Amino acid sequence: MNNKEIPYKIYLEEKEMPASWYNVRADMKNKPAPLLNPATFQPMTAGDLEAVFCAELVRQELDDSTPYIDIPREILDFYKMYRPSPLVRAYCLEKKLDTPAKIYYKFEGNNTSGSHKLNSAIAQAYYAKQQGLKGVTTETGAGQWGTALSMACSYFDLDCRVFMVKVSYEQKPFRREVMRTYGASVTPSPSDTTRVGRQILAEHPGTSGSLGCAISEAVEAATAAEGYRYVLGSVLNQVMLHQSVIGLETKAALDKYGIVPDMIIGCAGGGSNLGGLISPFMGEKLRGERDYRIIAVEPASCPSFTRGRFAYDYCDTGRVCPLSKMYTLGSGFIPSANHAGGLRYHGMSSTLSQLYDDGLMEARSVEQTAVFAAAEQFARVEGILPAPESAHAIRAAIDEAMKCKETGEEKTIVFGLTGTGYFDMVAYEKYNNGEMSDYIPTDAELEAGFAGLPKIKA
Ligand SMILES: *Cc1c(COP(=O)(O)O)cnc(C)c1O
């Protein structure tokens, strides 16, 4: 393919870092469906959205036509503290698997938040500051988003109020303390501090919470306080736009060595890391310039793509957020307590949902013990202890590399290693003790979720 020796880690130089984000919607023939107002079921206007979200972020959310959006200087300066992130050739994993496949991973865990989420957190905090707001509210599941947002808010001197899914709040006290160290306030959700939280508690006493509940509480807290807006760490178009920095760097690093991937793999919770990673590659595909296999990997316990419905649904349990047309399990679906907290969301990015429905990408689901087996295998040879979410992508990458071993094909696989798992040691402990189970929802359980879908002609 090329004569240059490919280093273990391909780093871009500072001047090669992307100066704009790429908006894949500009190249889509079938645009993602508009968000709908939960009260009227009419498309959300910028005015409607600005009651909840920062104005500039609303502009980005609704912009389906501008392909490149400049990254403001202040955000680029922050990116430079931890970016470019390395694109690593997994030589040791390839050797261990004895596969002819070439495996690369884009590592986003090299910052204190331990994940890719800081890429969007810093952008959202910047626009909130520009607008003169006092602070922002948000939800966090596993805690990575809350941590990233706390870091971003402290950098721009904004107040940060985080509603943390109760099960994570209890299981991950250390992540909670990182957030507090950065000055955020952290409330376990559902809580009695909001009307919607009290209502959820009354209907589901003893619930361990879900992202959908925490979102409802955070939105209520934002709209109830003067000078606050709500920010979200995934699912929305704006988040995927900011995360395109991952894909743009990956593409630039591959181009530098003349490498063309055959497949690109990422884990999918709300779809932001996968969407960001694949954006420039999907752009080439949409413009008919090149073809790639693109694979989304999700937990078998929360299978939005592989077993969900493509329909309008609420983004939150309390039904205060706009509706999005997406692959969904229903906003009332509460997944079993699997250990990849960041992948427990009932829905999926509307942009990725449209691309998937148009047959431009694939999806598969994997069970959690198989995911941890892949995480362990990877950690032992590649020296990074992966986040359970990221290990979904590792599982699929290893499976594809093993298929290459059978066929003798030298395919090039790129996957997103979205973060580190140091705060997930309770999950690793369960796995090491042989106490981890694989819960897969029954069809009847999924039907119960679908029964709650709003009746809207999409
Ligand atoms: C949040 C998170 C994810 C999943 O979120 P997406 O929006 O689907 O990317 C994956 N990996 C890690 C480490 C996360 O923190």
Side-chain angles (χ1 to χ4, degrees), residues 1-20:
M1 181 166 37
N2 66 84
N3 305 322
K4 274 186 253 176
E5 175 119 4
I6 295 168
Y8 264 87
K9 287 185 182 167
I10 307 177
Y11 275 108
L12 296 176
E13 288 173 43
E14 216 172 89
K15 62 174 190 295
E16 297 171 303
M17 284 172 65
S20 11

Side-chain angles (χ1 to χ4, degrees), residues 217-420:
E217 290 206 86
V219 171
E220 184 182 322
T223 47
E226 174 71 28
Y228 282 76
R229 290 294 185 281
Y230 165 69
V231 294
L232 183 57
S234 183
V235 188
L236 295 177
N237 294 324
Q238 55 189 276
V239 183
M240 189 167 141
L241 174 74
H242 305 146
Q243 295 298 354
S244 70
V245 69
I246 304 172
L248 292 163
E249 280 186 11
T250 302
K251 177 114 179 50
L254 292 170
D255 286 350
K256 200 166 169 174
Y257 287 88
I259 305 159
V260 180
D262 294 289
M263 62 188 106
I264 303 155
I265 299 173
C267 62
S272 74
N273 88 82
L274 174 68
L277 173 65
I278 68 171
S279 276
F281 302 95
M282 184 59 86
E284 290 184 296
K285 210 169 145 133
L286 289 164
R287 296 188 301 269
E289 296 164 8
R290 220 170 228 161
D291 200 15
Y292 304 98
R293 270 185 76 195
I294 291 172
I295 307 172
V297 192
E298 59 186 13
S301 58
C302 193
S304 336
F305 267 140
T306 51
R307 295 174 70 198
R309 296 264 170 88
F310 190 35
Y312 265 110
D313 193 14
Y314 296 93
C315 291
D316 62 321
T317 312
R319 305 186 159 196
V320 296
C321 283
L323 291 91
S324 175
K325 189 180 174 196
M326 58 185 173
Y327 275 84
T328 179
L329 298 167
S331 62
F333 178 81
I334 298 189
S336 65
N338 97 47
H339 292 288
L343 305 183
R344 295 183 73 220
Y345 186 62
H346 67 273
M348 185 58 64
S349 141
S350 64
T351 301
L352 288 189
S353 294
Q354 187 62 52
L355 291 167
Y356 177 64
D357 205 60
D358 287 341
L360 290 156
M361 54 185 276
E362 307 164 33
R364 67 179 65 160
S365 71
V366 289
E367 291 173 27
Q368 93 174 326
T369 49
V371 165
F372 276 81
E376 182 189 83
Q377 198 169 13
F378 181 87
R380 288 183 182 179
V381 292
E382 287 292 327
I384 294 172
L385 186 101
E389 292 88 350
S390 321
H392 286 67
I394 300 176
R395 175 74 272 160
I398 290 179
D399 291 346
E400 289 299 324
M402 294 311 284
K403 280 186 208 158
C404 290
K405 185 173 174 174
E406 278 168 33
T407 59
E409 288 173 291
E410 287 185 31
K411 295 224 165 112
T412 298
I413 301 169
V414 173
F415 74 88
L417 189 71
T418 49
T420 47

Side-chain angles (χ1 to χ4, degrees), residues 25-287:
R25 286 170 286 160
D27 283 310
M28 289 169 70
K29 261 200 216 84
N30 296 331
K31 308 289 184 192
L35 295 169
L36 299 186
N37 186 310
T40 63
F41 292 168
Q42 294 302 305
M44 292 290 280
T45 62
D48 293 338
L49 286 164
E50 281 173 19
V52 179
F53 300 101
C54 304
E56 185 56 34
L57 293 166
V58 168
R59 246 190 300 287
Q60 295 179 359
E61 190 62 31
L62 298 177
D63 186 342
D64 277 351
S65 58
T66 311
Y68 288 95
I69 294 174
D70 285 349
I71 307 175
R73 176 90 265 141
E74 291 84 346
I75 299 174
L76 279 175
D77 286 344
F78 189 87
Y79 277 171
K80 282 177 190 163
M81 287 196 273
Y82 71 100
R83 308 198 70 84
S85 72
L87 181 70
V88 186
R89 174 83 181 263
Y91 281 112
C92 299
L93 181 64
E94 289 170 17
K95 194 166 161 213
K96 185 80 185 174
L97 299 175
D98 190 25
T99 172
K102 299 180 175 71
I103 308 174
Y104 295 85
Y105 57 88
K106 179 71 168 165
F107 181 48
E108 291 292 319
N110 218 351
N111 66 77
T112 293
S113 83
S115 83
H116 65 284
K117 294 207 170 66
L118 194 54
N119 301 331
S120 184
I122 195 65
Q124 298 197 45
Y126 169 77
Y127 293 118
K129 189 68 183 179
Q130 284 294 103
Q131 196 175 330
L133 298 175
K134 288 184 203 144
V136 291
T137 70
T138 199
E139 77 297 330
T140 195
Q144 287 97 320
W145 168 246
T147 309
L149 190 69
S150 310
M151 293 171 69
C153 285
S154 77
Y155 182 74
F156 286 122
D157 201 17
L158 281 166
D159 185 33
C160 180
R161 299 181 183 171
V162 182
F163 289 86
M164 186 170 187
V165 176
K166 193 182 277 169
V167 61
S168 300
Y169 183 90
E170 284 159 4
Q171 275 185 3
K172 302 188 179 185
F174 297 140
R175 215 180 258 293
R176 183 180 79 209
E177 291 315 313
V178 179
M179 288 184 251
R180 294 179 61 209
T181 301
Y182 279 93
S185 71
V186 188
T187 307
S189 167
S191 76
D192 59 10
T193 67
T194 63
R195 187 195 51 78
V196 67
R198 289 188 292 274
Q199 188 183 324
I200 292 165
L201 282 172
E203 285 168 17
H204 306 275
T207 176
S208 55
S210 73
L211 269 181
C213 299
I215 293 173
S216 303
E217 290 206 86
V219 171
E220 184 182 322
T223 47
E226 174 71 28
Y228 282 76
R229 290 294 185 281
Y230 165 69
V231 294
L232 183 57
S234 183
V235 188
L236 295 177
N237 294 324
Q238 55 189 276
V239 183
M240 189 167 141
L241 174 74
H242 305 146
Q243 295 298 354
S244 70
V245 69
I246 304 172
L248 292 163
E249 280 186 11
T250 302
K251 177 114 179 50
L254 292 170
D255 286 350
K256 200 166 169 174
Y257 287 88
I259 305 159
V260 180
D262 294 289
M263 62 188 106
I264 303 155
I265 299 173
C267 62
S272 74
N273 88 82
L274 174 68
L277 173 65
I278 68 171
S279 276
F281 302 95
M282 184 59 86
E284 290 184 296
K285 210 169 145 133
L286 289 164
R287 296 188 301 269

